[in-house]
Amino acid sequence: MTKFDQETLVKLATQTEKALTDKTLSAISNLSPDVVLHQDAFTLNHDIKGAEEVKKYLQAYFDKYEYEHDTLGYGVNPDSSCSFALSYDKGVHLKNKGDLPKEAVEPVATIGVWKQVYNSDGKVTDIYFYRQMSADELHSKVKDPSKAAHAADEDLKELVEFRGLEMKKDPWTEAKCSPERFEKLLKAAKSFSAVWQDGKTELAKDVLAEDVVSKDLLFGNVITGFDNWSKMVHGIFENWEQNNEMSDYAVSYCGSKAFIHWSNKGKESKTGKENNLKGMSVLVFGHNDKAVRVLSFRQPLASERSQVMKEE
């Protein structure tokens, strides 16, 4: 497999971000004919296969919503030939409101992470996308929209504060992440991911700050402090038996964030139900090179889905 450098991977990622910003498909020219947009079990419940079908899906979103797209940073991993983009959309609302209630049509802000995997020709073969729901999606898909997450003003202010240097400066010169820092943050991401293999939170002790804030961007949970985060993880593993794990990692071009795409297979201890639990996490590094924020998307467990989501 051709190994792309950091700069090339960022340039490949910007094609999609330009399309999302300009709301036009003309910027996307590097989709493989058999590209797959993988379902996230929230906004999309089935995989979309083929370049033309993926473009139709994106065009349908452009046609349906008004919004303003803003990219906050990119993450890349030359070894796995992938890129990530962290972004948010402001003022997301339906163009055609119809007779929906007020709470279903009000403008909201949504945070998202977009991952692309490339083949040796630089064509996108796989897309993984997690984002918060718009107001109409919350109204139609979630039993109690008040318990789901959307981006509050403080979230957006904080994300802009953590905007990658590559979005402020020339991304091909002074903002470039050094090889040493890239490896340091990549190691931190792997240590954080290892916690989710068996619930041993001490593996993240050197990665997370004592006052770290962890935010579940779909379910809306906010946890402050390493000790409380550890209790949360231990609680999950009281009802989760894992038997297989896959992770992919990337580090932001300027070295301020680490991205983790993870998939765990196992079963719920209480119900015995088999699950394939998937999600993405973003570690935002601050003082002492420890993560001060953990932003996560994850699919619901089967038992959670019946509690949270309406039937299709």
Side-chain angles (χ1 to χ4, degrees), residues 4 9 12-13 30 81-83 116-120 122-125:
F4 298 107
L9 288 170
L12 290 171
N30 65 333
S81 194
C82 73
S83 67
Q116 296 186 154
V117 182
Y118 306 93
N119 64 15
S120 58
K123 299 291 186 181
V124 180
T125 60

Side-chain angles (χ1 to χ4, degrees), residues 4-13 76 118 172 253:
F4 298 107
D5 59 21
Q6 293 183 41
E7 293 182 14
T8 300
L9 288 170
V10 172
K11 289 178 179 178
L12 290 171
V76 298
Y118 306 93
W172 319 126
Y253 195 77

Side-chain angles (χ1 to χ4, degrees), residues 15-16 19-20 24-31 55 58 62 114:
Q15 292 190 29
T16 303
L20 296 174
T24 175
L25 297 176
S26 60
I28 302 180
S29 60
N30 65 333
L31 294 181
K55 288 182 179 181
L58 293 175
F62 300 156
W114 185 286

